Every structure is written in C-alpha cells, then in structure tokens.
Amino acid sequence: MYDNHQDLYHLQSKNSSYIIQLVRGYAAHVYYGPKLRHNGNLSGMLKLQERASFSPNPVNEDRSISLDSLPQEYPQYGTSDYRSPAYQVKLENGTRITELVYQSHRIYAGKPELPGLPAVYVEQDHEAETLELELLDEVTGLTAVLSYSVFSDFSAITRSVKFVNGGKETVELERALSASLDFADSRYDALYLSGAWARERHVQRRRLAPGVTGISSRRGSSSHQQNPFIALLRPETTEQQGEVFGFSLVYSGNFTAEAEVEQFGTTRLQIGLNPFDFSWQLQPGEEFQTPEAVMVYSDEGLGGMSREYHRLYRTRLCRGTHRDQERPILVNNWEATYFDFNADKIESIAKAGSELGIELFVLDDGWFGRRDSDNNSLGDWFEDRRKLPGGLKDLAERVNAAGIQFGLWFEPEMVSPDSELYRSHPDWCLHVPNRRRTEGRQQLVLDMSREDVRAYLYERLSDIFRTVPITYVKWDMNRNMTEIGSAAAPSYRQRETAHRYMLGLYELLEKITQEFPDILFESCSGGGGRFDPGMLYYMPQTWTSDNTDAVERLKIQYGTSLVYPVSTMGAHVSAVPNHQVERTTSLEFRGDVAMSGNFGYELDLTQWSETEREIAAKQIKDYKEIRGLVQQGELYRLLSPFEGNETSWMFVSDDREEALLFYFKVLAEPNAPLRNVKLEGLDLEKDYLLTTSGEIFGGDRLMAAGLPVSSLSGDFSSMWVQLKAVK
C-alpha cells in the first residue's frame, strides 16, 4: 500500500509489516515487525531530532534531519552518514561521492526473475506483490532500483538492487549490497553459522555491542567457514518464543553480513556481495543486478523462523522434477573403495544394495582419465577403460540390471595440472601473470567466467548424460580460489572475476539442469562448503558434510536446519571406526541420525555381516515409510547438541495427523535423571497412537508432559517414535 499523503509505503507479508517513508527525498526505514493493519494510524512512527554538529544536516531548513541518524533503506557514504554504506561508486574524476534520492516507484503483482541469478520465485502472480523504488543521483545519472517482494503465504520479504548507469560517463561500483536495514535499538543477539571443513554450520550466538559484528567469505565460495546467513534476535528469544529477524543471501560466492551498533544505540544490518577485492565497471546504459536477500520475521522463536525458511526454500527456491518428490535411498562407493575399484567391484556393491532395498548406486571419484589418486585427470571427463572396460554405459546397464538406478560424481569446476585438458589449455584456470599457481588438493580452479570453458564442460557433461542412463549427479568442488584473475578479461575488469565466475557457473547449471530435468542433481563442495540458497536453486539437495560421524552430524545437521529444509540435506551411514574422527558408533545410532535427512550409505555393503544386513534392511524399509514426512514435514528442534549430551527433533505433517520423534543420547550417565522430552507442533485436541507400543496419548499431554526417553542405555544410543492421530 502507498499513502501519498505521508509518502509512506506499507508492505505486508503473511505475518509481518515493513514500512518505508520518504523524508525530503530520502528513503527512510520506519518499521519492520509484527503485521500491522493498513487502516491503522501509521503516522508519527518515525522520530526525527537534531543531533550534535558532528552529525551534519543536509537540509538547512530542517536541522532535525541528519543522515548520520536517519534510518535509511539504502545509505551512501560521503554526504553526512558515517555508518557503513550500502553502496559506493568511483567516478571518472576519481571521487566517490553520490547521493541517491527518490525519483519514482512502481507497485505490481508477482515477483520478477533476477537475470542471471538464482532467486525465490512465485508460480502465480497473486502469491506476491513487488515494490520498486527508483532512486537517482542527479549529477551522474546513476539509478538504483530497490526491489521489495512480499509474500501472501510466507512471512518473508525479498530485497535486491539493480544499478543502471543513465549518465554519459563510466562509473565503477566498489560496493553493492543487497539489503541494508536500520533497527531502532541494539538490544539484540547476532546468530550465525560457522565452522570448517568436516565441522560445518555450528551455531554461534553473541550479544551486539558498539562496533561491528560480522561474518564474511573471501574464498570464492560461500564456504565451510561461514554461511551467508545472519539473524538478529532478542536476548530472551529461545527456540520456541521471541522475536527473530533472519537474513539469508541467495548467492554462492564471496559475501558479507554485518551488524553495526553506532553512537545513538541503533543497529544497521547489511548483507550482500563482499566488497573486498570487488569492483564492477558500468559503462553508459549498462546495468548491474545484486543477488537477492531473503528476510524472515518470526515472533515464535528460532523454530518459527526456520520453518518459514524451510517452507519457502523447499517450495519456492528449489525447482524442477524432484522438488516435491521423495528422494531415493542411495549407496555411494567413495568410503567403500576410494580410487581402488573396477566394474565388477562396483556391480557387487550395487547388487548388495539392491538386495537390501536401496534404490540408487552412485559411482564417486576415480572413473575418468587415469584417476588412481587425487593428483591427476580432473578435466578429462572420459571413462577410464582400465577400470571400466565396457565404459560407463555398460557399467550403468549392469547396475540397472541389478534392479538399481545409476548415479555419477563429477568435479567440473576443477582441473588437474597433470591432465590433457590443462596441457592443452593452461590459460583456462584462474591465474595471474608471472605468479605461481597455488594448488589445493593438487588441482586448480577453471575460469568459469570464460565462455569457452563453459562450452567445453557443457559438451563433455551433456554427452555423458545423453548416452549413459544416469538418474543422479553429485556435482563437487573441492577447493577455494587463489590468484583470482582471468586471462580473458582486460585489466580494468580483473576485480570482476570472482563474481563473473559465479554468474558463469549459474549459467552453466541453468542450461544443464533445464536440459536434463529428470536427473537429480546434488551439490557438494568438500561436503558443505557451498551449502547455500544459490546452489539450491539449481540442485535441490546438498551433501551436508564430508564428516559422516553420527555424533558430529548431530551438530552439523542441527545447525544446517536453522535455515535449510531437511529435504536439502544428504545424510549417509558410513563405516566404523569413522574415517574422519575414528569414532565407533552402533549401526542403529548412525542410521537414526542419517534417517533425519536424505538417507543413504557410504561403505562397502559386501563386507557386512548377516546381522548388519538385517539391521540395514529394516532401516531401509522403515525409511521408505517415513521419508515423505522427514523430507516434507515441519521440523521442530527440541534439544540442542550445542547445549548438552542429548539431541532431539521431530517432524510433523501439515495436517498434524502424523509425527516422528527422534532422540539421541551421546554418552551414558550413571544414575541419570529420568527424562521426558516435550513434543511440539501437535494438535492439542487430538489423540495420538504410538505405533511402536500401541499406547494412545493426547496431543496436549505430549506437549506439556512429554514422552519418557530414559530407558536408553549405553553410549551413542537413540530411538525414534512414530505417532499417528486417532480417528
């Protein structure tokens, strides 16, 4: 709604309101929080007051206005606001001063696509409404179009910015964030997800204080170390209650997210492309589009925020044939064989899996070139006839004959110095002249900003997809970028390389996934090094972590679920002692953890005992019955692995007719207290049957008093319970 008497814009999502007001041409932020009525009195919400002379006044006749204290929608530096700017531009004369003021606006039904970038979408225009605010710098002719889309069925607002150079001179963007939001106070905690390879997305929470609290990536990908997500929440907010403001960036490359508490006790939250080592030249008439930021408001705690992101990303970010389908149970040969296999060995694992009820076999690294270790052949995407005498097609047909689908691992963005591709095209990797080419895992990064590189990868991959009966692809990326430069770019565009890489990757992914819609693509980057919304737009699931230890996975999967739906998380049972931490846990415990995601195995099934086969067969049978609820249900986190020895979560169907409770205890305790776990998300008025015991309990009792779980004994113990509403 636009109120032309007050120059006020009131945006309403399902459960939240967002209000913008024009103040002397500046787009000022007024309110973000619980949904307000359009017909309520919204005047007077923005308070203006003159400050000290160290906060200058750009409007001489109104000294209550200072950009140093005015809450703004897209602030600039150099015209009296000393806080972090949302954008910065270098002009031909070397100066960096611009000033964006209101020019026009447009309100329309629906949500536009972002050219060349992943974004949340709508299937019908009535699902969302979009406001575009056009701001103009009159001196240069530079325009910034601020885009806001609000959803009728989600408590979510998306933001992005399009820059248009309408002037006569070339300008250079040096900072171009997707969203900036000024909160009226600083009584918040910042919550974010950090870690390392094999220790991804651990939950971090800290109180804001004067200064900057921020996270970022300069690695060329969203990274294992930080995730492109940050939330502000009140100190008293818990999993179940309290205010949360979530900010998630739909992007897979370098990013920044920070909260700045300034002198007057307000907070500026910003998220977008990392300005470090970034610039983008805009010649007259050219445009630049920022990635999309997705904001979610919840007054039902972190759980409420998560479930809002889950519903939105599961149904309006993920796309394609497999978005709403149940995901197959798979076995991957990586930890079973590593590089040491042949066609007969692969067929034997596939047959063993088929006998247990597994639906998909995935051939991992080592099938191409002369790949007997990780020091060669990346880029040479031709089957190794030493290991596979009949080639990939023959192997896939043998696997299919065993009653199981066939999937394949690739690492398309990489090249080995010891490869035919590198020897033919040494300039195709990221590099800079006269500098060493730093290797990681004995490989270099192909320059995805180059059209010829993308054309080669498309040709090789699409040829395999057309000739081999593949139903699944694992797309890996096992190192971060160094020497970020492109031989195909002129000197003045070298700082565009990292972003152009992502745009090139997105272009290739769009082309391939649209041409082969029946293939289920799973993204991977050494596990969870690129677990972000940008990749989920093209591939509806991600290998959550290379760490398959069940105890570590409790934290990894719990932290991942803060933003990402369970349907996006690959989770496998691996051998013990675990290959990452050398821990030995029971097959039952490993199975229960993995069944809380997209379930599979990553070990040599042919080496199992009869007892292990019986346990696995039951796991597979059980998961086929419950996977629809696990992958598409509402997730409720009950006990956090970051806070103690126990973890618990549950899945509830949309109609609250069915639920699953999972409970995990890491270490046994002597004389432990009797423990009940209180459930969530059930219907208070319904009775529920526990299918394992036949007992019936009211939803009110289960949520208020809980279910007993203290009967478990021993280290690494777990249980899960299925509940069905009694008719």
Side-chain angles (χ1 to χ4, degrees), residues 246-265:
F247 299 83
S248 174
L249 188 68
V250 187
Y251 189 63
S252 309
N254 294 337
F255 76 92
T256 187
E258 62 181 40
E260 179 185 13
V261 176
E262 54 74 72
Q263 59 180 328
F264 302 120

Side-chain angles (χ1 to χ4, degrees), residues 172-235:
E172 187 175 337
L173 286 173
E174 296 185 324
R175 184 180 180 94
L177 301 185
S178 299
S180 182
L181 178 58
D182 289 341
F183 289 86
D185 66 88
S186 60
R187 199 176 66 84
Y188 291 101
D189 290 351
L191 184 143
Y192 52 93
L193 304 172
S194 67
W197 174 79
R199 185 169 41 81
E200 298 92 338
R201 290 173 300 287
H202 281 211
V203 180
Q204 308 293 335
R205 181 170 178 170
R206 66 166 69 170
R207 189 66 47 86
L208 294 187
V212 175
T213 299
I215 58 173
S216 65
S217 173
R218 295 180 292 275
R219 296 171 175 269
S221 68
S222 51
S223 84
H224 298 86
Q225 289 69 24
Q226 306 291 350
N227 196 262
F229 161 80
I230 193 169
L232 296 187
L233 55 159
R234 295 299 185 183

Side-chain angles (χ1 to χ4, degrees), residues 370-539:
R370 299 186 68 83
R371 184 79 165 171
D372 296 324
S373 67
D374 61 9
N375 65 4
N376 66 79
S377 297
L378 285 173
D380 298 341
W381 300 111
F382 301 88
E383 61 260 77
D384 183 351
R385 293 284 178 153
R386 298 172 305 150
K387 297 178 183 179
L388 309 176
L392 280 174
K393 187 172 186 292
D394 172 72
L395 177 63
E397 290 172 348
R398 290 167 65 176
V399 169
N400 291 161
I404 193 169
Q405 300 173 52
F406 183 73
L408 197 57
W409 176 97
F410 290 87
E411 194 171 1
E413 299 165 65
M414 298 293 141
V415 63
S416 301
D418 181 9
S419 68
E420 294 304 316
L421 180 64
Y422 187 78
R423 284 185 280 271
S424 299
H425 300 284
D427 62 326
W428 276 14
C429 69
L430 293 177
H431 69 283
V432 296
N434 305 316
R435 298 290 179 183
R436 71 159 182 245
R437 301 182 180 190
T438 303
E439 296 179 17
R441 198 174 180 251
Q442 298 178 285
Q443 59 197 55
L444 299 169
V445 184
L446 285 173
D447 182 0
M448 298 297 291
S449 72
R450 295 181 59 137
E451 186 176 356
D452 48 2
V453 170
R454 299 194 300 274
Y456 167 78
L457 292 175
Y458 170 77
E459 179 185 357
R460 289 306 313 130
L461 271 60
S462 61
D463 181 63
I464 294 172
F465 298 160
R466 291 189 190 102
T467 57
V468 181
I470 293 173
T471 62
Y472 167 102
V473 166
K474 181 179 180 181
W475 184 295
D476 209 344
M477 190 263 200
N478 276 308
R479 63 156 294 185
N480 293 141
M481 297 180 188
T482 54
E483 294 86 43
I484 301 176
S486 174
S491 60
Y492 57 86
R493 290 198 182 275
Q494 288 299 320
R495 293 179 69 193
E496 300 176 5
T497 302
H499 183 55
R500 287 190 180 276
Y501 179 105
M502 292 313 311
L503 295 178
L505 174 62
Y506 290 152
E507 179 188 286
L508 178 62
L509 291 177
E510 179 73 14
K511 187 174 183 179
I512 287 178
T513 56
Q514 292 302 307
E515 185 168 342
F516 301 97
D518 294 329
I519 295 177
L520 172 59
F521 287 86
E522 178 179 86
S523 69
C524 176
S525 179
R530 209 161 58 183
F531 202 133
D532 59 64
M535 294 306 291
L536 292 179
Y537 183 75
Y538 305 98
M539 308 185 190

Side-chain angles (χ1 to χ4, degrees), residues 8 61 88 92 243 246 300 388 417 434 439 486 498 525 601 608 623 632 657 672 714:
L8 185 145
E61 63 272 22
Q88 194 161 18
E92 282 189 355
E243 279 198 318
E300 298 179 349
L388 309 176
N434 305 316
E439 296 179 17
S486 174
S525 179
Y601 295 87
W608 264 354
Y623 189 72
Q632 302 291 331
E657 289 287 314

Side-chain angles (χ1 to χ4, degrees), residues 663 665 672-676 707-713 719:
Y663 172 80
K665 189 171 185 178
L674 300 180
R675 168 66 112 168
N676 282 6
L707 273 179
V709 293
S710 50
S711 60
L712 296 180
S713 61
M719 59 174 279

Side-chain angles (χ1 to χ4, degrees), residues 5 38 48 111 150 185 298 345 374 447 494 513 653 699:
H5 297 294
H38 275 322
L48 302 176
K111 181 180 184 296
V150 292
D185 66 88
S298 168
K345 179 61 179 178
D374 61 9
D447 182 0
Q494 288 299 320
T513 56
S653 62

